[in-house]
Amino acid sequence: MQAVQWIKEKEQANSLDILSFNEHNFMKKLQNAIQFGHSVLFEAIDIEIDPMVDPLLEKNITINAGIKYIKLSGDQVDWDDNFKLFLTTKLANPAYPPEVFGKTMIINFNVTLQGLAD
């Protein structure tokens, strides 16, 4: 939970929105965050990542007349370069599919005895 706390403190100035894939309106909140350049933290995700965010993970951004857009759930959303997405899990050793590893940067914040000794 130290990593989550660190993200919350770091992104507090960037209007951090904390979401869950279980919320019924998470997609609308996510679209607003993308449009206005807020940071989004999805806490305690499991192995399954909602496929509706795949265009976001793949950064399928298009430019039309000098304006950046991304298409999410059928809607075309203005892209703000200040937008940041964080996905965190409590799983000690998550077994995500190779596609997820290709679309994201995975950082393991586990504390081990050897890590503490180093």
Side-chain angles (χ1 to χ4, degrees):
M1 293 305 294
Q2 289 177 343
V4 172
Q5 189 62 34
W6 177 77
I7 291 170
K8 287 179 179 178
E9 288 175 12
K10 179 182 174 293
E11 294 299 319
Q12 187 176 17
N14 198 20
S15 300
L16 179 67
D17 296 327
I18 300 170
L19 303 177
S20 169
F21 288 125
N22 297 331
E23 292 180 36
H24 70 281
N25 62 346
F26 86 88
M27 187 54 76
K28 187 64 178 166
K29 291 180 179 180
L30 181 61
Q31 289 174 348
N32 286 337
I34 293 169
Q35 185 175 5
F36 297 111
H38 298 170
S39 298
V40 171
L41 169 64
F42 281 97
E43 277 190 298
I45 63 169
D46 291 325
I47 297 296
E48 296 292 322
I49 297 176
D50 196 315
M52 293 179 73
V53 298
D54 275 346
L56 186 59
L57 297 179
E58 295 169 357
K59 282 200 163 182
N60 288 340
I61 300 168
T62 57
I63 301 173
N64 188 6
I67 300 173
K68 295 180 181 180
Y69 297 97
I70 190 163
K71 193 166 191 167
L72 285 177
S73 68
D75 296 330
Q76 200 168 3
V77 181
D78 292 350
W79 178 267
D80 189 313
D81 287 330
N82 293 321
F83 170 76
K84 294 178 191 171
L85 176 67
F86 300 94
L87 304 168
T88 62
T89 184
K90 290 184 179 182
L91 302 174
N93 192 14
Y96 291 111
E99 300 84 36
V100 172
F101 283 96
K103 297 174 190 174
T104 61
M105 179 187 308
I106 303 211
I107 301 172
N108 187 347
F109 281 97
N110 277 342
V111 177
T112 62
L113 288 176
Q114 182 178 352
L116 289 173
D118 290 344

